Amino acid sequence: MALKKRESLLFQRVRKHIKKAHFTRIESSTIQGIPDVHGCIDSKSFWIELKSTQDKFPILSKFQMAWCYEYQRHGGVVFVLHQTLSHRALKLYRVAGEMDPSSPSSFSRSLVLVYTSPDPVPVLAWQELRQQLVRNSSWQRNLVWYTWKVYKDYSRVKLWPPSMERGSVAKPRFSLFIICH
């Protein structure tokens, strides 16, 4: 069976079994790498990349890796839902951490396994999968450390994201957590 057909069937299963959720399947040829599904459950918004393969681990294109990493880096939440046909399992990974876009193996280190279920998935396992999507999309997972730099004359204030703070020469006067939704 073709890959797109298997992913379409996987999406139908997700939509059927995960209750009280809004899912939108995205078919885009204009934006390379955008995940297959946008979801919203209990005021938590996230993206899901669907994979249905014989492989033990999901394999994403360089465009998918770059999109997922950039979205996650800016406070968004991205999951990879992988149906492993050879192992008859359904695995949910969360994109976390950093990656080197030139090295596909670095992306695999940024995927965190958050849930596994045998496939076919039991009814209660779908409820647990739903809970994992909500739990791993919560505000606590989206905390981003930002530093406010107050200039000596207090004429302006600048927000420094974590990546810029590392190379900055000026020392910030105070720091603050911002909760990203």
Side-chain angles (χ1 to χ4, degrees):
M1 188 182 305
L3 177 65
K4 290 290 180 192
K5 178 74 173 167
R6 288 195 309 250
E7 288 179 1
S8 180
L9 292 173
L10 179 57
F11 173 68
Q12 290 173 12
R13 290 173 62 200
V14 167
R15 183 178 245 174
K16 177 182 176 185
H17 294 290
I18 298 181
K19 306 294 184 194
K20 297 182 182 175
H22 176 77
F23 293 109
T24 304
R25 178 120 162 121
I26 307 294
E27 296 289 340
S28 176
S29 59
T30 57
I31 303 172
Q32 292 186 349
I34 192 166
D36 301 312
V37 178
H38 183 263
C40 189
I41 302 174
D42 298 341
S43 301
K44 308 290 189 287
S45 179
F46 51 85
W47 286 90
I48 303 173
E49 175 60 39
L50 301 173
K51 290 293 174 189
S52 180
T53 66
Q54 297 288 340
D55 303 316
K56 290 191 323 186
F57 198 79
I59 298 173
L60 280 72
S61 74
K62 64 181 179 179
F63 299 111
Q64 290 171 324
M65 288 185 278
W67 194 99
C68 291
Y69 171 68
E70 278 300 305
Y71 189 75
Q72 176 271 331
R73 192 170 72 88
H74 291 283
V77 179
V78 182
F79 295 100
V80 177
L81 185 60
H82 184 219
Q83 180 182 27
T84 58
L85 301 172
S86 60
H87 291 88
R88 298 179 54 107
L90 194 64
K91 298 178 180 183
L92 180 69
Y93 296 89
R94 184 176 193 283
V95 176
E98 295 195 10
M99 65 161 274
D100 174 7
S102 64
S103 170
S105 63
S106 73
F107 189 75
S108 64
R109 290 190 298 271
S110 72
L111 290 180
V112 177
L113 182 65
V114 294
Y115 186 71
T116 303
S117 172
D119 199 14
V121 180
V123 174
L124 292 176
W126 284 109
Q127 293 172 1
E128 179 61 28
L129 181 64
R130 182 189 188 280
Q131 289 175 344
Q132 289 297 329
L133 287 168
V134 172
R135 187 175 302 129
N136 284 281
S137 296
S138 71
W139 66 270
Q140 295 163 333
R141 303 269 188 222
N142 294 332
L143 284 178
V144 180
W145 182 262
Y146 284 90
T147 302
W148 289 90
K149 180 180 177 199
V150 179
Y151 290 84
K152 288 183 183 179
D153 62 357
Y154 296 97
S155 61
R156 55 196 166 130
V157 176
K158 184 165 184 170
L159 182 65
W160 293 83
S163 59
M164 293 183 71
E165 184 183 351
R166 288 186 210 123
S168 68
V169 179
K171 298 291 181 202
R173 297 203 186 264
F174 62 93
S175 298
L176 159 84
F177 276 112
I178 295 177
I179 300 172
C180 302
H181 283 278

